[in-house]
């Protein structure tokens, strides 16, 4: 039997009190999840349901960066890539090309492989014309595409997507979902996609 790539056992998470005399803000309680390699899992729920917190835990960012208290057992196998809900916070390079190449360069990939992946994600995310643009000058939808392209280019074993299609027009949504489908034909990446509605994930 294949070993799970993600295993959460009875985890609970609470943020620090908002008020000085208040109690901790509990978001997740006794949550258990097992995900096999290559699965596509939709994390569905309204704002405030804990979707982002769950992804931050899986990415190793909560509670390290968010503060709060995490209990339970978290086991992750493989490299994790995450697209944040506000992609501009992930973008810091001078150009779109540099932004996408940065992660691959840090992985020590050969130049030919970087060029191959760069060409693929520029085409897949329909941002080839933005190659030399500064990410900070782009629209919110364009920034989301660039941030996702940079994440996809690193071929993570686990891909965490926090509302990747929110704020995008229908054509841009189709581009994002098509890129995810294309990626999964290259290798069996495990995807957890958080969205407010099940219809988007079902596509």
């Amino acid at each position: 039997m294949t070993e799970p790539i993600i295993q959460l056992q009875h985890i609970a998470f609470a943020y620090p009190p908002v008020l000085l005399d208040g109690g901790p803000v509990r978001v997740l309680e006794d949550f258990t999840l097992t995900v096999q390699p290559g699965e596509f899992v939709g994390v569905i729920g309204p704002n405030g349901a804990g979707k982002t917190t769950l992804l931050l835990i899986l990415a190793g960012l909560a509670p390290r960066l968010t503060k709060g208290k995490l209990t339970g057992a978290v086991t992750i196998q493989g490299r994790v890539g995450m697209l944040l809900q506000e992609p501009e916070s992930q973008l810091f390079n001078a150009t779109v090309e540099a932004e996408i190449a940065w992660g691959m360069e840090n992985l020590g990939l050969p130049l030919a492989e970087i060029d191959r992946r760069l060409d693929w994600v520029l085409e897949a995310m329909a941002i080839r014309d933005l190659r030399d643009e500064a990410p900070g000058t782009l629209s919110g939808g364009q920034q989301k595409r660039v941030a996702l392209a940079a994440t996809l280019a690193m071929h993570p074993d686990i891909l965490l997507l926090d509302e990747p299609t929110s704020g995008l027009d229908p054509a841009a949504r189709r581009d994002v979902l098509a890129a995810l489908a294309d990626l999964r034909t290259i290798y069996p990446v495990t995807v957890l996609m958080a969205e407010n509605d099940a219809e988007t994930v079902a596509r």
Side-chain angles (χ1 to χ4, degrees):
M1 184 175 179
T2 304
E3 184 178 359
I5 195 168
I6 296 172
Q7 194 157 29
L8 306 180
Q9 295 178 307
H10 305 292
I11 67 165
F13 189 86
Y15 288 101
V18 177
L19 303 175
L20 290 178
D21 58 350
V25 180
R26 299 186 182 280
V27 180
L28 298 171
E29 192 73 46
D30 195 24
F31 184 79
T32 295
L33 173 69
T34 299
V35 180
Q36 297 296 333
E39 285 192 312
F40 193 116
V41 178
V43 182
I44 312 300
N47 291 334
K51 302 187 303 294
T52 297
T53 300
L54 174 62
L55 297 188
L56 291 173
I57 291 170
L58 293 172
L61 299 178
R64 185 165 58 91
L65 295 183
T66 65
K67 307 302 181 185
K69 183 178 180 180
L70 171 66
T71 59
V74 179
T75 304
I76 305 292
Q77 306 287 347
R79 188 170 64 248
V80 177
M82 181 173 182
L83 176 68
L84 300 174
Q85 201 171 49
E86 299 174 348
E88 65 273 12
S89 62
Q90 293 182 247
L91 307 174
F92 51 86
N93 282 286
T95 66
V96 167
E97 179 177 336
E99 189 67 52
I100 297 172
W102 185 84
M104 294 187 285
E105 290 168 350
N106 277 273
L107 292 177
L109 295 178
L111 182 58
E113 179 64 11
I114 291 175
D115 287 342
R116 187 189 69 78
R117 295 191 191 185
L118 179 64
D119 188 65
W120 169 67
V121 292
L122 287 171
E123 185 66 31
M125 297 309 302
I127 55 173
R128 189 176 295 281
D129 59 329
L130 304 178
R131 185 172 190 150
D132 298 320
E133 300 294 325
T137 66
L138 304 178
S139 70
Q142 290 172 327
Q143 288 179 337
K144 184 162 287 192
R145 293 198 213 183
V146 172
L148 180 55
T151 305
L152 294 178
M154 291 189 288
H155 285 191
D157 302 297
I158 300 169
L159 183 59
L160 308 175
L161 304 174
D162 195 359
E163 299 188 21
T165 64
S166 67
L168 301 182
D169 60 39
R173 287 187 181 193
R174 286 193 296 272
D175 288 340
V176 168
L177 297 175
L180 291 176
D182 191 13
L183 177 68
R184 286 166 59 77
T185 66
I186 297 173
Y187 72 107
V189 62
T190 302
V191 179
L192 275 78
M193 187 164 96
E195 287 285 356
N196 288 334
D197 64 90
E199 182 181 354
T200 300
V201 176
R203 293 174 185 169

